[in-house]
Amino acid sequence: MVWRRTIPRFAQVGRRRRTAVVLAAAVAALVASLLAGVAGAAPASADGPGVGAPWVVSLGDSYVSGEAGRWAGSTNLSSRRADALGPAAYYDNAAGTAEQIRGCHRSRSAEGAIGGGVRSLDLACSGAKASTYTAITGHFKPGLDFTDDGPGRQGQAAMLRTFARTHDVRMVLVGIGGNDFGFATVVTSCVGDFLASSVLHPNYCSDDAWVRSRFTPGNVAAVRARVTRGLQNVRTAMRQAGYADSAWTMVVQNYASPIPPASGFRYGQGKIARQGIGGCGFWNRDADWANRTALATINATVSAAVTASGVAGVKRLDLSSSLNGRRLCEKGVGLLEEKGLSSWTRPGAADRTEWVNQIRTVTTLGSYQLQESLHPNYWAQLALRSCVRQVWNAGSPRGGSCAVAGTGVVAGEPRMMLS
């Protein structure tokens, strides 16, 4: 899914008055970047269904692929302060020199890599929808289908089928649906309306006709049907790879809240504070709508699709509150410099800094990429990994709700609880 920031420097003092052309370019750039992002194949093996080391395979969109997993916390100073994984963070080819499919952003901190003798393959792709398409950036975006247009242009279900034939896949982690709601463009509309209006005369995205059209009963039903087919395709892929339905487990996760409701922001609604410093350019009213209506509708649709799919034994991983207390611009956490931290490696950084990347528009600082906007960062990815490991449950997968369980880190990961 695609919900980060480069401070739009036109929001800073002395550059507040930009032309409508610049604002339009900012919004267009954010749309393109948020839609950016599939996966590759792992080495061949003599293993197969029921034979060899167990594998967890991740399918879906950016919230599964590991988008923004390079960055540990937010800062308006040198990007090096928050750079946990370096420029090779998303390189997933065999040599570790590039992405197998440009823009998929499968990071080395992605949640599916649970370790402990369990191997993992990330086939998710930033920007993916339930069905394969080509983004406006020109990047191929594999969905949960059997598209096969040659090497590097296969659907995720097709890639899963090929891989599962020669590897013992015990659990398939799936996260899909946000982009089918046009989530990237919805977020862009909210940020664009925030930047183009004022506190005295705010323009809310939640009452924009196009945004409202994404959440009508008719569109909800259409998205539910597409996600349902995608989940059924995953089951078909495993059957065609030689698996009985009882030989593996599908785990379907929903989406975490990336920004707090209005009462949870640590910055007021001024553009310089909320977007220029915080990188969270939403009006209070839109932030409440995003949590209460948009996110709730998306998650309810994913849940309904799981039921409609008829896939046996699905486990549900509820992430809706998993980042609460660590969200972008939320009270209680802050930028590295706001918390007196010189680097993400300093003691307490995981507890005191944000777990969601700032929203970026036209400009970038250091090595940030626009499509990383509003995604779970390095700390969040490791936190979610802890929950996925608890879902794995030593090979007997279970469902549950994921939440922060305390301060400090255990083996480098934030403390999380699956209940």
Side-chain angles (χ1 to χ4, degrees), residues 319-403:
L319 300 181
S320 58
S321 300
S322 59
L323 307 184
N324 289 11
R326 307 286 193 277
R327 291 173 289 188
L328 182 62
C329 294
E330 192 164 17
K331 296 174 182 177
V333 290
L335 305 177
L336 287 165
E337 57 267 30
E338 290 175 337
K339 293 299 181 179
L341 299 170
S342 60
S343 167
W344 71 274
T345 61
R346 303 303 299 168
D351 302 318
R352 300 163 63 189
T353 59
E354 298 161 329
W355 288 4
V356 176
N357 267 23
Q358 295 161 300
I359 299 169
R360 297 183 178 275
T361 54
V362 183
T363 59
T364 58
L365 296 174
S367 302
Y368 298 117
Q369 297 186 45
L370 296 178
Q371 74 182 69
E372 296 168 324
S373 297
L374 211 57
H375 281 78
N377 66 19
Y378 175 82
W379 291 122
Q381 296 290 343
L382 296 188
L384 299 180
R385 179 184 294 178
S386 173
C387 287
V388 174
R389 187 181 300 110
Q390 293 174 64
V391 168
W392 168 251
N393 192 34
S396 299
R398 65 191 181 98
S401 297
C402 176

Side-chain angles (χ1 to χ4, degrees), residues 34-89:
L34 288 175
L35 286 173
V38 10
S45 167
D47 299 340
V51 180
W55 286 79
V56 171
V57 177
S58 301
L59 306 178
D61 57 29
S62 55
Y63 267 57
V64 185
S65 74
E67 181 71 80
R70 176 177 179 176
W71 307 104
S74 302
T75 179
N76 291 333
L77 302 178
S78 170
S79 62
R80 290 191 300 271
R81 291 179 173 228
D83 195 350
L85 296 182

Side-chain angles (χ1 to χ4, degrees), residues 292-337:
R292 296 172 183 171
T293 299
L295 182 66
T297 301
I298 292 170
N299 284 349
T301 303
V302 171
S303 180
V306 171
T307 301
S309 72
V311 177
V314 175
K315 306 301 180 185
R316 303 173 192 241
L317 175 54
D318 180 10
L319 300 181
S320 58
S321 300
S322 59
L323 307 184
N324 289 11
R326 307 286 193 277
R327 291 173 289 188
L328 182 62
C329 294
E330 192 164 17
K331 296 174 182 177
V333 290
L335 305 177
L336 287 165
E337 57 267 30

